[in-house]
């Protein structure tokens, strides 16, 4: 492919960056995973712990990634190399990041594909005739249909490619400027509708009134793990998006806006779903259940229910799309920068490989016995199938390891002179001191404790 180094893309404006990066952050993590884990962990107390994780661990790593990208104008592998060419081991952190982006996208696309099928089902009014108890069967039947699984996995990947192929400002930024305002308008509308239901009071109390008796050490670990996933940290997505920033953009302001927006949308997702669930007094037993079974069936019972269900699935689909483009962009930016390939063929080639890697994820939920086998030991006697195994590895190991290494690199390896340029004003200097402290001590120690706990090494202290 092309021998000549191509000029790197840039965001057209600061708003463009903020919309693209919030688009990356807001995704299935906010609309699917967060409402479910908050529900499972008893509400308010978990939300509080989660907020601390975002503030003390998420935001420092977010700034570290933006800084690495912006200063080096490079993809994750290149960024570590530019700063420490004499210590090539650091490049491995970037390599792990690109690989993680590849892995996450391969199954993310499958789940996101389900939201397209469900948008169609909602348009055709299929939920209005389904009792909530039967919605589960409908979902299982859909999961077992190999043609549909493959079709939507393909369609979703194709949509992602169509956007990424256009480049940074003409593809990603342009589409983020359309999809993000649409997403915010829909979630505001749906939350407002949900808050008028009878169960709204109970929902608000559940989310904002912490009851610490519900909390276990496991909840704390889950909150921290989720902070990485939801802010798209630990695999170079924010680093890559930071590398398209203009010199004059303030990374502190931009990073904090992204983290705040992501958190607000996650809480709004709860404020939108819990009233529906509490009003109908249903028990949510499975994570998948919340958005693919209970919610559509219950939404359809409300006035204009079909329209609300259509909006709901479009919301989830848009959110997933703007996250998927950032995952693909990490992989593509590596091909373009490191291998000096041309953008279009790189996007098509790498997306095809991601698609192929995700095929077993599309077929592992009961479609084909071969792929549906639960072969991966999670520990505690639990076994995972192909999709769940990759999700477990990526969310619980690859992202925290990537985040930990990034914190160590920026906190310990880089010198003050190499980073202080991003903290120009007096206020910035104060922020710098706090940030550097967190990045040196609290962030890596926090992540390390979580990983050791998961390995079972700390069971004797935290036995609960
Ligand atoms: N942050 C996205 C979400 O919440 C997922 C994601 C993870 C996207 C890592 C990019 C990188 O769904």
């Amino acid at each position: 492919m092309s021998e000549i180094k191509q000029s790197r893309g840039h965001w057209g404006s600061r708003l463009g960056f903020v919309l693209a990066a919030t688009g990356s952050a807001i995704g299935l993590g906010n609309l699917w995973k967060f409402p479910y884990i908050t529900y499972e962990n008893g509400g308010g107390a978990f939300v509080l712990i989660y907020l601390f994780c975002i503030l003390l661990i998420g935001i420092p790593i977010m700034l570290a990634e933006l800084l690495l990208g912006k200063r080096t104008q490079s993809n994750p592998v290149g960024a570590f190399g530019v700063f420490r060419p004499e210590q090539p081991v650091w490049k491995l952190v970037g390599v792990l990041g690109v690989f993680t982006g590849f892995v996450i996208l391969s199954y993310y696309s499958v789940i996101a594909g389900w939201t397209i099928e469900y948008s169609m089902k909602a348009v055709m009014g299929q939920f209005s005739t389904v009792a909530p108890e039967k919605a589960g069967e409908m979902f299982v039947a859909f999961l077992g249909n190999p043609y549909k699984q493959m079709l939507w996995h393909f369609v979703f990947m194709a949509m992602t490619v169509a956007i990424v192929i256009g480049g940074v400002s003409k593809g990603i930024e342009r589409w983020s400027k359309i999809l993000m305002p649409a997403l915010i308008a829909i979630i505001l509308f749906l939350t407002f509708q949900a808050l008028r239901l009878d169960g709204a009071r109970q929902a608000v109390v559940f989310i904002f009134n912490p009851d610490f008796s519900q909390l276990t050490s496991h909840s704390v670990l889950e909150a921290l793990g989720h902070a990485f996933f939801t802010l798209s940290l630990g695999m170079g997505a924010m680093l890559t998006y930071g590398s398209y920033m203009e010199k004059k953009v303030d990374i502190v302001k931009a990073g904090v806006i992204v983290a705040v927006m992501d958190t607000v949308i996650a809480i709004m997702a709860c404020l939108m779903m819990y009233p529906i669930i509490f009003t109908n007094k249903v028990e949510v037993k499975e994570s998948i259940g919340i958005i693919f079974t209970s919610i559509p069936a219950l939404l359809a019972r409300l006035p204009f229910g079909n329209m609300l269900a259509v909006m709901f699935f479009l919301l989830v689909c848009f959110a997933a799309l703007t996250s998927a483009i950032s995952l693909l962009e990490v992989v593509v930016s590596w091909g373009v920068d490191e291998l000096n390939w041309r953008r279009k063929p790189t996007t098509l080639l790498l997306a095809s490989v991601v698609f192929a890697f995700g095929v077993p994820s599309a077929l592992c939920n009961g479609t084909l016995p071969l792929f549906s086998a639960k072969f991966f030991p999670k520990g505690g006697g639990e076994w995972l199938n192909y999709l769940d195994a990759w999700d477990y590895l990526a969310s619980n190991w690859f992202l925290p390891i990537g985040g930990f290494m990034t914190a160590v690199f920026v906190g310990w390896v880089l010198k003050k002179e190499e980073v202080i340029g991003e903290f120009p004003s007096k206020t910035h200097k104060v922020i710098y001191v706090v940030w550097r402290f967190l990045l040196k001590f609290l962030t890596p120690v926090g992540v390390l404790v979580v990983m050791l706990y998961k390995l079972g090494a700390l069971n004797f202290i935290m036995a609960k």
Side-chain angles (χ1 to χ4, degrees), residues 125-131 300:
Q126 285 189 9
F127 301 117
S128 47
T129 49
V130 174

Side-chain angles (χ1 to χ4, degrees), residues 5 8 73-75 332-341:
K5 196 100 192 146
R8 272 178 80 76
Q73 303 276 299
S74 191
N75 72 94
V332 169
S333 75
W334 164 77
V336 170
D337 288 356
E338 296 299 301
L339 309 176
N340 206 14
W341 289 351

Side-chain angles (χ1 to χ4, degrees), residues 128-265:
S128 47
T129 49
V130 174
E133 313 81 66
K134 289 274 184 275
E137 287 168 26
M138 185 174 179
F139 185 56
V140 171
F142 165 60
L143 287 182
N145 181 329
Y147 305 107
K148 285 193 169 172
Q149 291 297 318
M150 291 293 289
L151 173 72
W152 297 129
H153 175 40
F154 180 81
V155 169
F156 188 82
M157 275 308 291
M159 286 172 16
T160 311
V161 167
I163 295 177
V164 170
I165 219 164
V168 177
S169 64
K170 294 213 184 79
I172 301 178
E173 181 170 357
R174 186 160 78 188
W175 278 94
S176 301
K177 282 186 170 161
I178 299 170
L179 294 171
M180 291 313 288
L183 182 148
I184 291 169
I186 299 178
I187 197 166
L188 275 171
F189 178 79
L190 288 178
T191 308
F192 183 70
Q193 296 300 321
L195 285 176
R196 292 173 16 184
L197 298 174
D198 295 340
R201 228 192 116 74
Q202 193 190 346
V204 171
V205 171
F206 184 74
I207 301 166
F208 294 112
N209 193 6
D211 168 7
F212 285 94
S213 66
Q214 296 275 338
L215 220 57
T216 63
S217 52
H218 175 78
S219 316
V220 180
L221 305 181
E222 188 139 29
L224 182 61
H226 186 64
F228 278 98
F229 188 83
T230 190
L231 291 179
S232 308
L233 297 176
M235 46 71 68
M238 288 300 162
L239 189 160
T240 307
Y241 275 14
S243 76
Y244 303 131
M245 271 179 170
E246 298 284 356
K247 289 265 176 308
K248 57 181 191 296
V249 178
D250 175 354
I251 59 163
V252 178
K253 221 192 231 165
V256 170
I257 295 177
V258 173
V260 170
M261 290 278 288
D262 183 75
T263 309
V264 169
I265 298 288

Side-chain angles (χ1 to χ4, degrees), residues 7 14 23 74 112 120 130 192 196 245 301 305 344 362 372 390 428 441 459 462:
S7 70
R14 194 184 83 172
S74 191
M120 305 280 185
V130 174
F192 183 70
R196 292 173 16 184
M245 271 179 170
R301 289 180 175 180
K344 280 194 179 135
S372 304
W390 281 117
H428 276 101
F441 303 104
N459 285 357
M462 297 168 98

Side-chain angles (χ1 to χ4, degrees), residues 24-30 104 108 229-233 235 237 323 326-327 399:
S24 168
I26 298 168
L28 295 172
N30 304 60
I104 297 183
Y108 205 83
F229 188 83
T230 190
L231 291 179
S232 308
L233 297 176
M235 46 71 68
S323 295
S326 74
L327 290 161
L399 294 183

